[in-house]
Amino acid sequence: MDLVFNVCALLLLLSKTECLSIGGSSAVGINYGQIADNLPSPKKVAQLLQGIKIKKVKLYDSNPEILQAFAKKDIELWVGIGNENVAGLTTTQQALAWLNQNLTPYLPDTKIVGISVGNEVYSGTDAQLSANLVPAMQALHMALLSLGLDSTIKISTAHSIAVLGSSYPPSAGSFKQELLPLITPHLEFLALTGSPFWLNAYPFFAYKDNPGEVSLDYVLFKPNEGMSDSSTNLHYDNMLDAQVDACYTALAAMGYGNLEVRVSETGWPSQGDPEEVGASKENAQAYNRNLLVRLARNQGTPMRPTAGLQAYVFALFNENLKPGPTSERNYGLYKPDGTIAYYVGLGRSSATNALSAFTSSAK
């Protein structure tokens, strides 16, 4: 009896320790989207994130209610500028007006550390938007410089992995030739300002599109044979690392191998349409759980083993108004009522305490 009790106590202690280390990791961030009509208030969301010890959050806009709710919460925020607003920010005067209206009123109480300009611009079809991206980033940087905020607030943009013309094996990573006139000044800007290269990386899509060839264990960070890159003799046991290293190869080929690659979005849907192979609660739990454990170790990729990888999980909540297939509305770690969609190790007890306000206000 004593042996059983001691083993159970040890397992409980290990579980709590792992939860704290995952939640408190500086490598872990989360995307807070709001395309829904049933989400909790930003104030309650801030309480939830504090309860599960998340220190980094990426937004898709500059919602004033959110920026106010996160004041003095010691949570780093990247705010977003939608693709539709990029064209109106290509001059320093326009950028300065935007900053004074949307950001500076909340500083320094709200810890804004970056601005993400547009989303997956270069993999889209809007040529004018693509042409406006770097000028808008430059204008925002100059406006921040004039306000003395350029060293604390960085400018970047999130890219789809579709900007790569080749990503397999990782040593063959390269940007699409037709994007080079756009990518080159963009990378120069990132290098000059010390900003990261953001990558939206979804192994789920690779598995969904080719489940017969892509190993499920490989994309879910589970034990597997992995793959070896014959050009570098590096071994990969998961697809996310391989995708990130393909980006590093592409950057190095352009002369920007010193840029840091950060994963701006990655996740797995807990539900999908019949043709969305692999979209399930079990797989979503495995992917996000194993991802968080991997990030908490603060380890790099095979190509950059000493540079810890930062990644932002997509997403905090299921968003019921997102268009597209069923999977688009089921990426959340949490349901809109604040209960967990599935447990991934972010601290069940802390989250329960943080969410007590949800229940009391409902009553």
Side-chain angles (χ1 to χ4, degrees):
M1 183 68 176
D2 288 341
L3 177 60
V4 173
F5 176 82
N6 289 336
V7 170
C8 289
L10 177 60
L11 289 173
L12 180 61
L13 176 61
L14 289 172
S15 175
K16 288 183 176 180
T17 302
E18 183 181 38
C19 289
L20 290 174
S21 64
I22 290 175
S25 171
S26 61
V28 176
I30 199 161
N31 286 277
Y32 174 14
Q34 307 146 61
I35 306 178
D37 59 6
N38 57 357
L39 297 183
S41 70
K43 183 178 180 180
K44 292 174 182 175
V45 173
Q47 293 173 349
L48 165 62
L49 292 169
Q50 281 191 306
I52 58 178
K53 302 184 185 303
I54 290 293
K55 296 291 187 180
K56 300 176 186 290
V57 172
K58 190 162 73 67
L59 306 174
Y60 292 91
D61 57 19
S62 55
N63 186 318
E65 188 179 0
I66 293 177
L67 297 184
Q68 189 171 15
F70 278 74
K72 299 182 179 179
K73 294 294 189 293
D74 195 31
I75 295 175
E76 295 183 359
L77 296 181
W78 274 77
V79 302
I81 294 175
N83 290 349
E84 68 279 5
N85 297 318
V86 172
L89 294 170
T90 55
T91 70
T92 304
Q93 292 79 6
Q94 291 171 326
L96 186 60
W98 187 90
L99 290 172
N100 285 331
Q101 179 179 346
N102 295 284
L103 256 63
T104 56
Y106 308 99
L107 300 174
D109 288 351
T110 301
K111 199 172 182 180
I112 300 170
V113 299
I115 303 171
S116 185
V117 185
N119 186 53
E120 299 188 347
V121 171
Y122 290 151
S123 54
T125 57
D126 190 332
Q128 190 58 56
L129 172 61
S130 294
N132 286 333
L133 181 59
V134 169
M137 296 172 72
Q138 292 170 332
L140 284 163
H141 176 71
M142 293 305 296
L144 288 170
L145 185 64
S146 70
L147 296 171
L149 297 172
D150 57 298
S151 63
T152 55
I153 299 178
K154 298 300 179 180
I155 308 290
S156 192
T157 188
H159 298 284
S160 163
I161 199 164
V163 298
L164 298 183
S166 173
S167 61
Y168 183 87
S171 61
S174 63
F175 291 108
K176 290 180 176 177
Q177 287 294 315
E178 63 269 25
L179 292 180
L180 296 186
L182 296 167
I183 288 285
T184 301
H186 170 60
L187 299 182
E188 182 180 7
F189 172 84
L190 297 181
L192 288 173
T193 59
S195 301
F197 182 92
W198 284 112
L199 175 68
N200 292 345
Y202 286 92
F204 164 70
F205 293 128
Y207 178 76
K208 174 181 72 71
D209 293 341
N210 198 1
E213 296 294 330
V214 177
S215 163
L216 183 60
D217 287 343
Y218 180 64
V219 295
L220 293 180
F221 303 94
K222 290 184 175 182
N224 66 94
E225 293 182 0
M227 60 83 64
S228 294
D229 190 326
S230 60
S231 296
T232 60
N233 291 321
L234 295 174
H235 185 77
Y236 291 85
D237 60 11
N238 70 84
M239 182 176 285
L240 183 67
D241 281 358
Q243 291 179 331
V244 171
D245 276 356
C247 275
Y248 274 125
T249 301
L251 291 170
M254 297 288 292
Y256 295 96
N258 290 329
L259 286 179
E260 177 191 3
V261 176
R262 293 183 191 172
V263 178
S264 40
E265 288 182 16
T266 190
W268 197 286
S270 58
Q271 187 178 343
D273 295 322
E275 64 273 15
E276 294 187 285
V277 180
S280 70
K281 182 177 179 180
E282 179 184 7
N283 288 342
Q285 183 177 31
Y287 182 84
N288 287 311
R289 168 72 171 177
N290 293 334
L291 168 69
L292 292 173
V293 170
R294 180 243 182 275
L295 294 174
R297 297 187 186 123
N298 199 34
Q299 66 186 35
T301 62
M303 198 171 285
R304 301 291 177 93
T306 61
L309 178 66
Q310 289 189 33
Y312 287 66
V313 178
F314 187 88
L316 182 57
F317 293 109
N318 286 335
E319 298 172 66
N320 67 334
L321 297 182
K322 291 198 73 175
T326 298
S327 61
E328 288 294 321
R329 295 174 289 282
N330 289 279
Y331 273 91
L333 300 184
Y334 288 85
K335 299 175 184 178
D337 63 0
T339 59
I340 57 174
Y342 45 84
Y343 185 58
V344 294
L346 283 174
R348 188 192 303 269
S349 59
S350 298
T352 301
N353 293 334
L355 289 168
S356 60
F358 284 62
T359 308
S360 60
S361 59
K363 289 181 179 179

